[in-house]
Amino acid sequence: MVALVFHCARISLLLTRRSTLGLLAAAAVLPSSVRAHVAPPRDEIRESLAKRFTDLGTSGTFVGYKVEDYLIVASDKERSGEGKLPASTFKIPNALIALETGVVADPDKDMFPWDGVKRSIEAWNKDHTLRSAIAVSAVPAFQEIARRIGQERMQKYVDEFDYGNRDIGGGIDQFWLTGALRIDPVEQVDFVDRLRRRVLPISKRSQDLVADILPVTKVGDSIIRAKSGLLGAERGEPSLGWMVGWAEKGEAHTVFALNMDCKEPRLVGERMPLTQACLAEIGAI
């Protein structure tokens, strides 16, 4: 029980310090006497969400933040706080930094030529714009983007975003794939929610453009804006899968992060269906 209380308090503290309640984007600068009267989000651990992973024969975690209800729902109190390599979910901050630094001026016009190396994922073997690269999660294109951004600028923005453990050691074009960067699902929700609200410490234009190029899935009268991630995808050796983003149902918004072990090929394609099932269970779609 103590661990559960501590975990829920951590989620609430992390999200509240970003003004996730939406009361004021600048709540962090309010006097402490004022902040003391702002109620933190409610939180809940739901075992039925955890069962969805075991029913698939794997392990994983799901965290959802129902913005209008001030409610955080998680599948567990352990893995939801464990840092993992972000894999291609890092394409979200990578794209933001590319636009903010001018490495990409127009996500539909600036072209990143294919290097001619034939890779197992056919969609990567072509020239890409930022929009088309994020749609097919083209690792080589985003590696080139990271190289153009460079170590110093990349570190600056990863720090300013307070993204995971902020450690970009392991190579400028590898740190999110095989390097030192780690982020947990709660931190993913925090980061994505700041993008959704356009309160990251960069221009609104860059945030608008990245939100626009995120892949969209329609489910009934709801839409899901999300980025997948798969460790080992570029080597044909998948191990861990991600899905992060937010769902919109009318005026209601739910920010979410899911990760799961994908050591069997059959599990790779289960990331979005499982995400949708978790979102449906908590009434987000």
Side-chain angles (χ1 to χ4, degrees):
M1 178 60 71
V2 173
L4 174 60
V5 171
F6 175 79
H7 174 76
C8 291
R10 175 180 176 274
I11 297 175
S12 295
L13 177 61
L14 182 58
L15 293 178
T16 301
R17 85 179 188 206
R18 305 294 187 194
S19 316
T20 304
L21 299 182
L23 298 177
L24 281 173
V29 301
L30 290 175
S32 58
S33 59
V34 175
R35 292 200 305 270
H37 297 290
V38 178
R42 296 175 294 119
D43 37 62
E44 173 185 333
I45 302 295
R46 193 173 296 185
E47 293 181 359
S48 57
L49 292 170
K51 186 175 183 296
R52 293 185 180 276
F53 294 94
T54 56
D55 286 349
L56 275 176
T58 191
S59 299
T61 187
F62 173 85
V63 177
Y65 176 63
K66 302 189 72 178
V67 176
E68 285 73 25
D69 295 337
Y70 304 162
L71 175 65
I72 303 157
V73 184
S75 63
D76 63 90
K77 62 182 183 293
E78 292 90 15
R79 182 160 172 159
S80 57
E82 294 177 2
K84 309 282 187 184
L85 277 159
S88 285
T89 65
F90 187 76
K91 288 183 173 67
I92 300 175
N94 205 357
L96 289 165
I97 297 166
L99 288 161
E100 192 68 10
T101 57
V103 165
V104 175
D106 189 318
D108 295 302
K109 293 180 180 178
D110 291 9
M111 194 66 66
F112 292 87
W114 176 39
D115 60 9
V117 177
K118 188 78 171 178
R119 295 176 176 86
S120 59
I121 300 176
E122 187 59 37
W124 296 1
N125 301 326
K126 58 182 290 188
D127 298 347
H128 278 290
T129 63
L130 188 65
R131 185 184 297 275
S132 68
I134 205 166
V136 300
S137 206
V139 168
F142 275 89
Q143 288 180 309
E144 175 59 22
I145 287 170
R147 289 190 288 266
R148 294 187 190 184
I149 290 169
Q151 189 84 14
E152 184 176 346
R153 291 192 295 183
M154 185 71 79
Q155 187 67 68
K156 172 182 180 290
Y157 283 101
V158 167
D159 285 342
E160 290 184 0
F161 291 169
D162 194 13
Y163 188 88
N165 67 356
R166 306 183 183 188
D167 190 339
I168 66 171
I172 188 60
D173 56 5
Q174 286 291 329
F175 65 85
W176 68 93
L177 299 168
T178 60
L181 188 61
R182 298 292 185 274
I183 189 167
D184 67 43
V186 174
E187 292 167 332
Q188 290 269 30
V189 167
D190 166 51
F191 173 73
V192 171
D193 189 59
R194 283 181 284 149
L195 169 60
R196 181 191 66 84
R197 293 186 290 117
R198 311 297 199 270
V199 296
L200 289 166
I202 56 174
S203 67
K204 183 176 181 294
R205 174 185 181 271
S206 295
Q207 297 177 80
D208 284 344
L209 288 172
V210 171
D212 180 63
I213 66 175
L214 280 178
V216 172
T217 301
K218 295 185 178 181
V219 183
D221 60 352
S222 303
I223 65 170
I224 301 171
R225 302 181 191 275
K227 183 69 196 76
S228 62
L230 186 64
L231 285 184
E234 70 283 0
R235 302 187 305 274
E237 301 171 357
S239 59
L240 176 81
W242 280 100
M243 194 67 69
V244 305
W246 69 89
E248 303 171 6
K249 183 179 182 181
E251 297 299 315
H253 299 80
T254 301
V255 189
F256 64 86
L258 172 147
N259 73 43
M260 57 186 281
D261 295 342
C262 291
K263 298 176 182 179
E264 300 175 50
R266 67 177 178 88
L267 294 169
V268 174
E270 295 292 341
R271 288 169 296 167
M272 179 54 86
L274 184 54
T275 296
Q276 291 183 27
C278 291
L279 289 170
E281 179 173 329
I282 66 173
I285 58 175

